Amino acid sequence: MLLVVIAACEVGFWVILAAGLAARYLLRWQRVSTVLLVGVPVTDLILLGASALDLSRGASATWAHGLAAAYLGFSVAFGPSLVRWADVRFAHRFAGGPAPVPPPRYGAARTRHEWREWIKALIAWAIAVALLGAAILVVGDPARTAELQGWISRLSVVLGIWLVGWPVYYTLFPKRAPAPQ
């Protein structure tokens, strides 16, 4: 059941975001747009509540509980930049806004970009691990929370791979622009 809530929250995030941007740029309803966009994080609260309620009723933690924590961390850390990303594209497409600026592809600017993205991933990891740790402590039964401990390990491995594969790699081997021909 928690997987359904996770899917509904993900769909809800994008539906509320699209509705808020449509209200802003297509209908020119600024207040409605603001209310809708403020509602985007409500999906996170719904998911947090559903996961906490499930565990408080005595359920053993499953893969879905770990996924919920990872989703919440990602949503909090990357959500504002996802909203900005969608806003720029919606404004460009429907309101004559400037074209979106792609992320840098070369040199120090690319390296800085990779480090900024990794910092967001670190924040997402920290939030997810804090939620997982809190659930482990609150439930207080290692047999019921073993899956959550596994999620902490998996998320840590992903964060380490991201660190080495992108920001460290681009720091040591910056991508150079092709030579003009």
Side-chain angles (χ1 to χ4, degrees):
M1 187 61 171
L2 192 57
L3 286 174
V4 172
V5 175
I6 293 169
C9 287
E10 178 66 12
V11 169
F13 172 88
W14 290 105
V15 167
I16 294 168
L17 178 58
L21 295 174
R24 174 176 290 170
Y25 294 113
L26 299 178
L27 303 173
R28 308 274 188 237
W29 296 348
Q30 295 301 319
R31 285 189 181 139
V32 172
S33 170
T34 300
V35 169
L36 286 167
L37 293 175
V38 166
V40 168
V42 170
T43 60
D44 292 343
L45 296 175
I46 291 169
L47 180 55
L48 180 61
S51 186
L53 181 64
D54 192 39
L55 289 173
S56 72
R57 289 183 174 170
S60 289
T62 65
W63 187 83
H65 292 91
L67 180 62
Y71 174 85
L72 287 165
F74 179 88
S75 183
V76 170
F78 286 90
S81 58
L82 283 172
V83 169
R84 280 190 302 277
W85 176 88
D87 186 54
V88 166
R89 279 149 184 79
F90 210 95
H92 175 65
R93 171 93 171 141
F94 297 108
V101 177
R105 296 180 63 191
Y106 307 108
R110 171 66 183 261
T111 302
R112 282 190 301 277
H113 170 77
E114 294 300 340
W115 278 105
R116 274 192 305 273
E117 292 301 302
W118 184 80
I119 298 261
K120 288 184 217 172
L122 178 63
I123 292 167
W125 173 87
I127 291 167
V129 167
L131 290 170
L132 292 165
I136 290 168
L137 287 173
V138 168
V139 171
D141 181 358
R144 286 182 47 214
T145 58
E147 182 65 31
L148 302 182
Q149 189 64 43
W151 267 93
I152 292 172
S153 300
R154 286 189 287 273
L155 291 173
S156 298
V157 167
V158 168
L159 185 67
I161 291 169
W162 190 331
L163 172 66
V164 173
W166 283 269
V168 169
Y169 179 82
Y170 281 104
T171 298
L172 298 174
F173 308 104
K175 191 171 181 183
R176 306 222 184 272
Q181 295 181 358

